[in-house]
Amino acid sequence: MESPKSRACVIGAGIAGLAACQALRARGIEFQCFEAGDDVGGLWHFEGSTAPTPAYRSVHTISSRRTFGFRRFPMPDDYPDFPGQRLVMAYLRDYAEHFDLRRSIRFGARVTSAERLPGGGWRVQAEGCEPAGFDVLLSASGHLTEPVYPDFPGAFEGETIHARDYMDPTDPLDLRGKRVLVVGIGNTAVDIASELSRTGVAESVILSTRSSAWVVPKYTFGVPSDRVFRLLMPALPLRPQLFVAGRLLRLLSGGPARFGLPAPNHGFLEAHPTLSSDLLLRLGHGAILARPDVAALRGDRVRFTDGSEEQIDAIVYATGYRAAVPFLAPEIFAPVDGNLPLYLRTFKPGVDDLAFIGFAEGVPSQPVFDELQAELVAMWLSGEWTPPQPFEMEREIATDQRRFSHYRKEHLVPVYERELRHEAIPAGRRRAARPRGVSRGA
């Protein structure tokens, strides 16, 4: 068994960071957490916070309550199926209090640099703090930091905003009575377009999409859809899962083209599906107009790739983010096609004192995956779990990339909880239990 690392630095106190702090505390591992904002919650915390967040006032969970909550601290039974921002924040605050995490979190301490030292370990500089040394760095700061804007030909004379800065229909842009174009068809784009349409704030709402998306209603047969799919899918391998889930979705909604959206240029779950019970209804009512990709910006008008043109007053770009961890040197954090080439989406081969938590699309939900990933990291730090040799990690990374070659490169690649729990963790425990000098093959 390898010697445990003695002192860890956790960066971020959002969902991933809180899970990391809890896992370390449970194993008695010394740690210090730095959080840029003034409270726990990460992207769910925006009231009074100076840290940027992609959340907005009407945001609700995509996963249902039972799927969303941490396994070690489930959401309360009296929560609704899809809690909003205030309930999620209350839950995360309760989580931090229950596990006594706040005493190890330094708030208002944005990490400006994390320098890896020649002999191993890290020198971490945070705002308002003296530089501090740590044996290991756990990056749980999230990746939704650098908004991406499409490079459309021409110029637009109206107002524009990225979805990261959108809070509600009047903040920071006053969209009342305006003809609004929302670019994108992810969950945020659909939420914003639906809110503008449903509240009657905007004069008109147009939703433009380049690749379209499969739209999954939040309820199936009166039950949250994630629970239905989870009950139906576990006995099937991945490819049959995709086939069955896609067939069920077509049976339930008829497919996005039925509602005027372009046909998706990918199969079901080859990119993030969009979960919304509002969008298809708003399209069916004619309250949202669907258009394909933008072909050109022409002053106060926008031309689309189908040749149509619309007069537009404001554009909301819900066009995603570029993965970025600004406190790490480029040779440490080097995304490839938007993804980090990490073993189990956690470890960078050849860097034995660094782990990432939350840099994957967790299945069945992000908190459940982050919790298990944090437990894996804590086992690694305590010497209970050992990764393969770097060359074996590289080989598994390549195999994993081929396995998810159907998944669109601009999205984080998914990691399935059951595979981590029942395959990767037991294998690493067996490696850790072997005497030194014995081959540590995967």
Side-chain angles (χ1 to χ4, degrees), residues 12 32 405:
Q32 175 68 59
S405 61

Side-chain angles (χ1 to χ4, degrees), residues 15 43 72 101 108 119 135-136 148 156 162 165 179-180 190 228 237 258 275 283 320 322 333 336 347 387 389 401 405:
I15 288 176
L43 64 84
R72 297 185 184 279
L101 303 180
D135 297 303
V136 65
V148 170
F156 179 63
H162 193 277
D165 300 313
R179 294 160 293 198
V180 182
V190 165
V228 172
R258 163 70 178 78
L275 282 85
L283 289 168
R322 182 179 295 104
F333 186 89
V336 177
F347 302 103
Q389 295 294 330
Q401 295 284 13
S405 61

Side-chain angles (χ1 to χ4, degrees), residues 192-211:
I192 292 173
S194 297
E195 180 173 48
L196 292 172
S197 163
R198 185 177 59 252
T199 58
V201 167
E203 178 182 321
S204 62
V205 181
I206 296 173
L207 186 69
S208 168
T209 168
R210 171 172 55 89
S211 56

Side-chain angles (χ1 to χ4, degrees), residues 208-408:
S208 168
T209 168
R210 171 172 55 89
S211 56
S212 196
W214 296 97
V215 181
V216 179
K218 284 195 168 182
Y219 286 92
T220 300
F221 309 130
V223 178
S225 294
D226 56 359
R227 290 173 57 192
V228 172
F229 280 86
R230 196 174 182 202
L231 287 171
L232 293 176
M233 297 297 107
L236 298 175
L238 179 62
R239 290 291 181 179
Q241 281 188 33
L242 301 180
F243 176 80
V244 172
R247 290 286 180 158
L248 179 58
L249 180 61
R250 289 184 181 91
L251 177 65
L252 292 172
S253 66
R258 163 70 178 78
F259 296 86
L261 291 167
N265 65 358
H266 53 273
F268 184 60
L269 294 184
E270 290 181 4
H272 290 282
T274 295
L275 282 85
S276 173
S277 293
D278 287 339
L279 177 61
L280 300 185
L281 180 63
R282 306 309 299 166
L283 289 168
H285 286 177
I288 297 177
L289 181 64
R291 286 287 183 263
D293 197 19
V294 171
L297 305 174
R298 306 181 64 181
D300 65 345
R301 304 185 69 84
V302 175
R303 180 162 54 85
F304 301 94
T305 54
D306 63 357
S308 63
E309 280 196 11
E310 299 287 346
Q311 191 168 8
I312 299 295
D313 300 312
I315 298 178
V316 179
Y317 288 106
T319 43
Y321 300 84
R322 182 179 295 104
V325 182
F327 51 80
L328 289 177
E331 61 269 21
I332 298 294
F333 186 89
V336 177
D337 291 329
N339 281 292
L340 279 176
L342 300 173
Y343 175 67
L344 303 179
R345 312 293 162 186
T346 307
F347 302 103
K348 182 178 175 64
V351 184
D352 63 357
D353 51 8
L354 171 67
F356 293 87
I357 301 174
F359 283 77
E361 180 67 16
V363 180
S365 75
Q366 200 65 47
V368 170
F369 170 74
D370 289 350
E371 181 182 46
L372 183 59
Q373 192 178 33
E375 185 176 351
L376 168 68
V377 169
M379 288 190 292
W380 167 61
L381 295 181
S382 64
E384 301 171 42
W385 185 93
T386 300
Q389 295 294 330
F391 76 92
E392 294 171 314
M393 296 167 71
E394 296 278 10
R395 184 178 62 201
E396 292 203 22
I397 290 171
T399 300
D400 199 37
Q401 295 284 13
R402 289 193 296 272
R403 176 189 176 195
F404 288 103
S405 61
H406 65 283
Y407 212 78
R408 293 176 59 80

